[in-house]
Amino acid sequence: MEEAISQKNYKVDEPIKKSTSYKEAGVDIDSGNAFVEAIKPLVKGTERLGVASELGGFGGVFDLKRSGYIDPLLVAATDGVGTKLLIAGIMDNHKTIGIDLVAMCVNDLIVQGAEPLFFLDYLATGKLDLKAAKNLISGITDGCIQANCSLIGGETAEMPGLYRDGHYDLAGFAVGAVERKKLIKGDAVKYKDVIFGLASTGIHSNGYSLVRRIIENSKINYYDTSPFDKNVSIGQVLLTPTRIYVESCLNALATGGIHAFAHITGGGLLENIPRVLPKGLSAYIDLKKWPMPAIYQWLSKTGKISPIEMIRTFNCGIGMVVISAPDIADDIEKTFEESGETIFRIGKVIKETGEKEKIFFENLEDGWNL
């Protein structure tokens, strides 16, 4: 039977063709192995109590019991960096993107009161650029150190034909833990609670498709001097990494009285704040309670973006919203300031109106510093 199949599909006298290899197809296993070895010292620097495996295994192992939890709940989050990656490629600056990746995940964990424990990354590219990839991992490890979580594994995939030369994509995965009784639930917010805003470090990692469109339409080069900061290029401003709020939020949680956090990511202020409000309550936000960062003033004017579109797309200078009981608001504010945050009292929790609107913005159409 085998002989019949062979004669049917192949000519007996056909010369044997030279075999090809995975490397010739565009995937260099040796290069990937060298990359893993090169980043091991960086990964080692993120270790915290509970890590129970070495880099290079089939899965990362974490010993939750060794971390001191009694009755923990695990909280998981995943995210990416979006088209900010394209600006990193143009500027050939890949380190800060790694910080962004960690920040987008761990800031989501802290919203539920969870302490980040470990992180995994996924890097996909057409051809592995060892220098760029090592810079990426260096940024990821920096982010993990800021968040006090360990990088315990990841995946690097070469996929020629799917990604163009010099292009790559990133995804991050973070797991945290919180004692069951300390989990921040959606029903904790109360009428008359105080709403704080923690200052962002810029655009963070959302809205870059619109930012890139404005840059393109304005015929601006990313290496050009920033129109609002003569000391740096516009590309450098746009690559400012997302702020990691883990340490300051954990410090504030220890004081008691925190009822909710809202990480201001995709959907901006308009859509993220209502996500933590229980039925029957709304948020009142005064947009003149904090200064509008120069990057947003420039984007709004140059791109002719309406105020409502600004608050739907961007964080507009507020990277994390904090809602607390009014009787402890002064202590909360002091704790965040001592943790190095710039904090503003931006509003309060009110009762839902007949229209059932979940958020109201004061001064939205009144110039709003734009």
Side-chain angles (χ1 to χ4, degrees):
M1 183 67 177
E2 291 180 1
E3 182 179 357
I5 293 174
S6 177
Q7 291 176 350
K8 180 178 179 181
N9 292 292
Y10 305 99
K11 294 180 179 179
V12 177
D13 58 351
E14 183 177 349
I16 299 175
K17 295 180 179 179
K18 181 181 179 181
S19 64
T20 189
S21 67
Y22 208 9
K23 185 174 183 178
E24 289 173 322
V27 180
D28 190 342
I29 295 175
D30 291 335
S31 180
N33 290 337
F35 172 61
V36 172
E37 291 301 315
I39 64 174
K40 277 186 176 180
L42 295 173
V43 175
K44 189 74 174 176
T46 71
E47 279 195 8
R48 56 163 292 162
L49 191 64
V51 175
S53 61
E54 297 288 336
L55 188 67
F58 286 97
V61 180
F62 193 90
D63 186 342
L64 192 57
K65 186 176 181 180
R66 288 190 63 205
S67 296
Y69 286 91
I70 299 170
D71 184 23
L73 294 172
L74 293 180
V75 183
T78 182
D79 211 332
V81 182
T83 60
K84 190 174 184 177
L85 292 171
L86 296 174
I87 300 175
I90 292 170
M91 299 297 294
D92 194 26
N93 179 359
H94 307 278
K95 183 171 182 177
T96 58
I97 288 292
I99 299 174
D100 283 305
L101 186 67
V102 176
M104 294 301 289
C105 296
V106 298
N107 285 342
D108 280 353
L109 296 183
I110 198 65
V111 165
Q112 292 176 274
E115 174 195 17
L117 298 176
F118 58 86
F119 189 85
L120 298 96
D121 68 277
Y122 174 75
L123 167 62
T125 185
K127 182 175 176 57
L128 185 62
D129 180 331
L130 288 177
K131 180 181 177 182
K134 188 174 180 179
N135 282 335
L136 277 170
I137 300 301
S138 177
I140 290 172
T141 57
D142 282 355
C144 286
I145 290 169
Q146 289 182 44
N148 191 31
C149 68
S150 297
L151 178 60
I152 65 170
E155 168 69 3
T156 302
E158 282 188 299
M159 293 186 279
L162 187 58
Y163 293 92
R164 287 183 291 170
D165 287 348
H167 284 221
Y168 59 88
D169 197 10
L170 283 173
F173 312 88
V175 173
V178 58
E179 294 290 359
R180 188 179 304 271
K181 64 181 181 180
K182 293 183 178 180
L183 178 71
I184 298 178
K185 300 178 181 179
D187 59 354
V189 176
K190 308 297 181 185
Y191 173 54
K192 293 186 178 181
D193 275 357
V194 177
I195 301 178
F196 293 102
L198 304 184
S200 68
T201 49
I203 302 177
H204 286 184
S205 299
N206 295 103
Y208 275 84
S209 293
L210 178 55
V211 171
R212 288 172 40 250
R213 174 66 62 86
I214 293 170
I215 296 288
E216 180 182 331
N217 290 343
S218 302
K219 310 297 183 184
I220 296 174
N221 188 295
Y222 287 99
Y223 284 94
D224 291 344
T225 300
S226 166
F228 44 84
D229 186 347
K230 303 302 180 182
N231 296 314
V232 293
S233 68
I234 185 67
Q236 288 174 298
V237 172
L238 295 175
L239 287 180
T240 303
T242 305
R243 186 166 181 81
I244 293 175
Y245 298 100
V246 169
E247 182 179 0
S248 62
C249 287
L250 287 175
N251 290 342
L253 281 170
T255 68
I258 295 287
H259 289 167
F261 294 113
H263 185 199
I264 309 304
T265 55
L269 294 163
L270 183 66
E271 296 185 7
N272 284 291
I273 297 175
R275 294 170 66 181
V276 299
L277 299 176
K279 185 178 180 180
L281 297 178
S282 298
Y284 166 88
I285 305 295
D286 187 344
L287 294 168
K288 291 206 170 182
K289 289 297 184 180
W290 73 94
M292 180 60 54
I295 178 65
Y296 290 119
Q297 296 181 43
W298 181 81
L299 285 171
S300 177
K301 181 178 180 180
T302 306
K304 297 181 173 59
I305 308 173
S306 68
I308 191 67
E309 186 67 17
M310 288 292 295
I311 60 172
R312 177 185 285 124
T313 306
F314 300 112
N315 66 54
C316 296
I318 300 296
M320 181 73 76
V321 162
V322 183
I323 303 178
S324 82
D327 60 337
I328 200 173
D330 290 343
D331 292 335
I332 294 295
E333 189 169 17
K334 182 180 178 181
T335 298
F336 275 111
E337 288 174 343
E338 290 175 346
S339 296
E341 301 291 356
T342 301
I343 184 170
F344 309 97
R345 294 197 186 201
I346 64 173
K348 59 186 178 181
V349 176
I350 61 176
K351 290 183 178 179
E352 204 172 67
T353 67
E355 291 80 19
K356 295 186 178 180
E357 294 290 341
K358 295 299 291 184
I359 189 164
F360 296 86
F361 291 99
E362 185 75 22
N363 295 310
L364 179 62
E365 302 297 340
D366 187 29
W368 188 42
N369 302 319
L370 294 175

